[in-house]
Amino acid sequence: MSNKALRILIADPQHFHRMKIERLFNALGYYRVAPVQTLGELLTLVDYGCEPFDVLVINSELAAGSLDLLSFLLDNPQVRHALIYNEQSAPLQALAGFAQESAQISPTPLPNLQLIGQVMARVEAHGERQAAPDSHASLRHANA
């Protein structure tokens, strides 16, 4: 069952790509989706947002030459999980140990339903692991 409260940000310079990716999320039951077309818009939403984004799906071309996306995302508390797509060095980065639980890199030019589904399954599983200790703590307090 999908968590409909998850905040999703899509960053791609092409309107058609943003729409197509948003529809993939909608097909999986996710509707809190915000699309942006420039790196400036992305940075503004991430830097000044009052609530973190649960998922960022970004075309690597958006930051080409101006920002190291992986470093930015791995240390940013405002983005919990990320999918960087259209990254031609993805297989090399995975071999070098850059595969992280919170960031996935893909060489595909545009994510498909299967890739978005995989990312969201990891996001949902991560959320359940984080929620589990809290629910046990509340049970202990209720029984005390």
Side-chain angles (χ1 to χ4, degrees), residues 28-89:
L28 293 171
Y30 301 98
Y31 297 97
R32 273 184 89 184
V33 179
V36 297
Q37 69 179 2
T38 67
L39 185 60
E41 291 173 338
L42 166 76
L43 294 174
T44 299
L45 286 174
V46 169
D47 289 342
Y48 297 108
C50 57
E51 186 180 340
F53 285 96
D54 295 294
V55 181
L56 167 65
V57 177
I58 183 168
N59 185 336
S60 66
E61 289 181 353
L62 198 66
S66 60
L67 178 68
D68 179 359
L69 276 176
L70 192 57
S71 296
F72 172 74
L73 295 170
L74 290 178
D75 295 328
N76 196 323
Q78 289 295 98
V79 179
R80 293 186 177 133
H81 299 273
L83 169 62
I84 303 169
Y85 64 93
N86 200 21
E87 177 57 61
Q88 301 311 311
S89 66

Side-chain angles (χ1 to χ4, degrees), residues 1-143:
M1 172 122 188
S2 62
N3 179 353
K4 295 188 187 298
L6 293 176
R7 297 181 74 219
I8 301 165
L9 182 60
I10 300 169
D12 190 295
Q14 294 189 31
H15 178 73
F16 177 74
H17 289 175
R18 293 189 308 271
M19 295 283 296
K20 186 169 183 166
I21 296 167
E22 183 172 356
R23 287 186 182 132
L24 294 175
F25 278 106
N26 295 162
L28 293 171
Y30 301 98
Y31 297 97
R32 273 184 89 184
V33 179
V36 297
Q37 69 179 2
T38 67
L39 185 60
E41 291 173 338
L42 166 76
L43 294 174
T44 299
L45 286 174
V46 169
D47 289 342
Y48 297 108
C50 57
E51 186 180 340
F53 285 96
D54 295 294
V55 181
L56 167 65
V57 177
I58 183 168
N59 185 336
S60 66
E61 289 181 353
L62 198 66
S66 60
L67 178 68
D68 179 359
L69 276 176
L70 192 57
S71 296
F72 172 74
L73 295 170
L74 290 178
D75 295 328
N76 196 323
Q78 289 295 98
V79 179
R80 293 186 177 133
H81 299 273
L83 169 62
I84 303 169
Y85 64 93
N86 200 21
E87 177 57 61
Q88 301 311 311
S89 66
L92 298 175
Q93 289 179 340
L95 290 174
F98 285 110
Q100 301 288 327
E101 184 176 324
S102 62
Q104 183 175 343
I105 303 167
S106 173
T108 61
L110 193 63
N112 59 21
L113 188 60
Q114 180 182 359
L115 182 57
I116 295 293
Q118 290 171 355
V119 169
M120 295 313 292
R122 287 176 45 197
V123 170
E124 294 278 356
H126 186 261
E128 288 174 8
R129 283 195 307 269
Q130 285 185 329
D134 295 336
S135 63
H136 292 288
S138 63
L139 288 175
R140 281 193 299 271
H141 291 302
N143 292 331

